[in-house]
Amino acid sequence: MPRFDLVKEITASETFKVEQVKGAFDLQTSTIREHFTGDIAIEGKDWNIGLIVGRSGTGKTTIAKEIFAAGYIEPHTYGISAIVNEMPDGISYADITRMFTAVGFSSPPSWLKPYAVLSNGEKMRVDLARALLENRDVIVFDEYTSVVDRDVAKVCSLAVNKAIRNQGKKFIAVSCHDDITDWLQPDWLYDTNQQTFSFRSGQRPAITVDVFDAHRNASLWNVFGKYHYLNTGIKRGTDIFIGCINNSPVAFCAVRHFPHPKNPRIKMVHRLVVLPDYQGIGIGTRFLGFVAELYTRRQFTVHLVTSQVSLINSLKKHGWHLVHYGHLSKVKGGMEHLKKTNSNRRITASFKYAGRSV
């Protein structure tokens, strides 16, 4: 992109209050003139993610709208319908849910809610999903992470990084927060404070998840249950584990004993939930693998049945062996009693933990 030289002028209407302001602060004119110059040298370069960052009033939006006008996403006005209905026309259900999952908005119950009742973190992910589903060569997203908690902003930025690169899209974030830079990992950055442009590379900071054995404290399900795709409780006598980031609970795993007629050493993952603000960055899979490894070391075999597409795809890559895919009514042997549950109505995947070496 060639060097830009932008002049922005705004003239206030000549009113009594405007004249009062001019008189009080000895302003000579009611015309405000701003001048922005710089160079975003990306022509002929290979990139996926860009970041325009700087303080309010330094020209971020002006530059983004002028230089990347075709890709600038204007705020969408949502209705009262389920959010899955609010995506761009002509996009299939499969593509919509795949994008929801890619940006970390992967709790199916939330897909049925209207936009207005979502948390700020969920709203931002919905806005991102909708933007990424737009048929544009470059997507420019203004006010990126401006309304969410800063820890959530970092986690969301990592999810966005993964989604953009996996799909080969070009995405430009416009933000007044530079704390997301290492997490979004942009290929290039334009700083409107210093009016400097640079290509950059680097590794994101590490995310540490501390795992705690909550024994059989079923009351913790009250915090996580509403985010699970099955609107049910948990069985009595399950072992419960909690994953925390910076001492804040973000993940829940319940494991129960499986009453196999011949093998008394089988454990079944009963429930797995990651809070919405922390979805999309692989926390669930890592957390689950840690718990499964604990039982493996105690000479137990760990199984899991799920219909969550994002989890199915992830488990295949992280130490879990796919035993069966389809309707559970076709399963024979020790797991056949599961036909009595509602699971036989859904396509599910059955996994067996094979260990970290796989």
Side-chain angles (χ1 to χ4, degrees), residues 284-346:
T285 307
R286 291 165 53 198
F287 174 49
L288 181 61
F290 182 89
V291 172
E293 192 70 22
L294 290 178
Y295 284 101
T296 300
R297 292 176 180 178
R298 299 171 189 171
Q299 306 303 309
F300 286 99
T301 301
V302 183
H303 291 261
L304 177 149
V305 178
T306 182
S307 59
Q308 181 66 286
V309 175
S310 59
L311 183 58
I312 291 172
N313 293 334
S314 183
L315 291 178
K316 290 178 181 178
K317 305 173 185 177
H318 294 91
W320 293 80
H321 173 64
L322 180 64
V323 176
H324 177 266
Y325 183 81
H327 293 283
L328 281 176
S329 57
K330 298 179 182 179
V331 179
K332 298 179 180 180
M335 297 177 67
E336 192 166 14
H337 76 281
L338 290 174
K339 291 189 296 183
K340 299 176 183 178
T341 72
N342 289 332
S343 294
N344 65 329
R345 302 174 187 174
R346 305 187 309 273

Side-chain angles (χ1 to χ4, degrees), residues 189-211:
L189 181 149
Y190 185 77
D191 184 338
T192 57
N193 296 329
Q194 306 295 327
Q195 296 184 340
T196 57
F197 171 81
S198 62
F199 277 94
R200 65 183 307 280
S201 62
Q203 293 184 334
R204 67 167 174 81
I207 297 177
T208 300
V209 179
D210 298 313
V211 180

